[in-house]
Amino acid sequence: MMRSDPGTEFCVDIVVKGRKTEVPERFRKHVAEKLKLEKIQKLDGKVISLDVEVSKEPNPRQADRSDRVEITLHSRGPVIRAEAAASDPYAALDLATDKLEARLRKQHDKRHTRRGARRISASEVADHVPEAATLNGNGSVVHEEAPEAVVPTKKIGSLEVKGDGPLVVREKTHVASPMTLDQALYEMELVGHDFYLFVDSETKEPSVVYRRHAYDYGVIHLSTDPMVAQAQQAPAGGALGG
């Protein structure tokens, strides 16, 4: 446990603990340097303590997110938490600290906005609230016809999407050589994924091998129905022979 300078107006406890992992003394000192209490106390003057919990993910496939840091801020107001994962605890602490400060700043700005707000008169409502209803001389609501919204269209990869539509984060095309099921399983384990798309060397059809429970695997084979393919390629209309 560490504390801010007891001689100052505020005394904040910083508790650093590990969950199923040891926390070296060097990291504890780094926490005290990284969590700038002066800045935190300016954003939240009622802070009492900060809990920093470090944990480690043993799964080797999660190496880039193996170390997790969670910061919990206790104050006379609401509890604020921020957590992050990275390849080492120092990087995870940096990310979690940035998130904590961003949330504290948001809370701070919200408090000041409410404190500085003033009441507005009925005549000012339309100016301050764009979607407020307008009244006529009789006190009845004036309904305005909303213009028809134009839905924007954009290209995402090979898709044409209207509005928000489906979000395609990434599109890839791979050149694949036909391989056996054993080769596909080996390649899946090699890249550390839970599934692997390949072309079956026996059927020449696209297939997917995937990991099930424990060490079980599943395989999905895709085969083309000639009748369906022919129907899709046929023209919409034609002449009848006599």
Side-chain angles (χ1 to χ4, degrees):
M1 178 184 290
M2 296 165 285
R3 288 193 169 192
S4 61
D5 186 1
T8 60
E9 183 183 353
F10 301 99
C11 187
V12 179
D13 293 331
I14 302 178
V15 180
V16 183
K17 56 186 177 181
R19 186 173 62 187
K20 298 181 181 180
T21 186
E22 292 292 329
V23 181
E25 188 61 30
R26 178 188 167 199
F27 182 79
R28 295 178 185 272
K29 292 180 180 178
H30 182 70
V31 169
E33 295 171 359
K34 183 66 181 176
L35 292 174
K36 297 179 175 60
L37 292 176
E38 276 190 28
K39 179 188 283 188
I40 291 175
Q41 288 166 346
K42 283 181 180 178
L43 295 172
D44 187 345
K46 298 179 180 180
V47 59
I48 300 171
S49 65
L50 288 161
D51 292 342
V52 180
E53 185 178 85
V54 185
S55 59
K56 195 167 185 69
E57 170 60 54
N59 190 343
R61 290 184 298 173
Q62 299 284 340
D64 58 335
R65 298 171 57 83
S66 60
D67 291 275
R68 179 175 294 276
V69 172
E70 180 179 322
I71 306 174
T72 305
L73 182 146
H74 300 276
S75 73
R76 295 181 184 87
V79 174
I80 298 177
R81 285 188 177 86
E83 63 177 319
S87 57
D88 65 82
Y90 294 91
L93 176 65
D94 289 347
L95 294 172
T97 302
D98 291 343
K99 288 183 180 180
L100 179 70
E101 290 181 359
R103 288 170 186 172
L104 282 172
R105 194 172 294 110
K106 185 177 180 180
Q107 286 286 101
H108 179 267
D109 294 343
K110 189 184 295 183
R111 285 195 300 269
H112 279 260
T113 301
R114 285 201 301 262
R115 195 176 302 161
R118 67 176 181 86
R119 292 187 178 182
I120 60 176
S121 63
S123 60
E124 296 178 300
V125 170
D127 297 330
H128 289 79
V129 185
E131 296 181 0
T134 304
L135 303 180
N136 59 19
N138 299 325
S140 302
V141 177
V142 177
H143 297 283
E144 297 182 0
E145 293 185 2
E148 187 176 346
V150 178
V151 180
T153 303
K154 57 187 175 183
K155 291 281 288 185
I156 300 179
S158 59
L159 299 176
E160 187 175 281
V161 180
K162 288 190 175 182
D164 293 335
L167 178 61
V168 179
V169 178
R170 184 167 53 185
E171 182 180 14
K172 283 187 175 182
T173 302
H174 292 279
V175 178
S177 300
M179 63 178 67
T180 63
L181 176 60
D182 288 341
Q183 288 175 307
L185 286 170
Y186 174 77
E187 292 291 337
M188 183 180 73
E189 293 294 343
L190 193 65
V191 297
H193 290 172
D194 291 328
F195 69 94
Y196 192 79
L197 177 65
F198 69 102
V199 177
D200 194 305
S201 58
E202 293 183 7
T203 63
K204 301 299 186 291
E205 298 284 357
S207 304
V208 174
V209 62
Y210 61 95
R211 192 188 312 278
R212 301 182 75 246
H213 303 294
Y215 294 97
D216 293 341
Y217 299 98
V219 185
I220 299 174
H221 297 288
L222 296 180
S223 60
T224 305
D225 188 334
M227 298 297 293
V228 174
Q230 185 177 0
Q232 291 176 342
Q233 294 175 0
L240 295 174

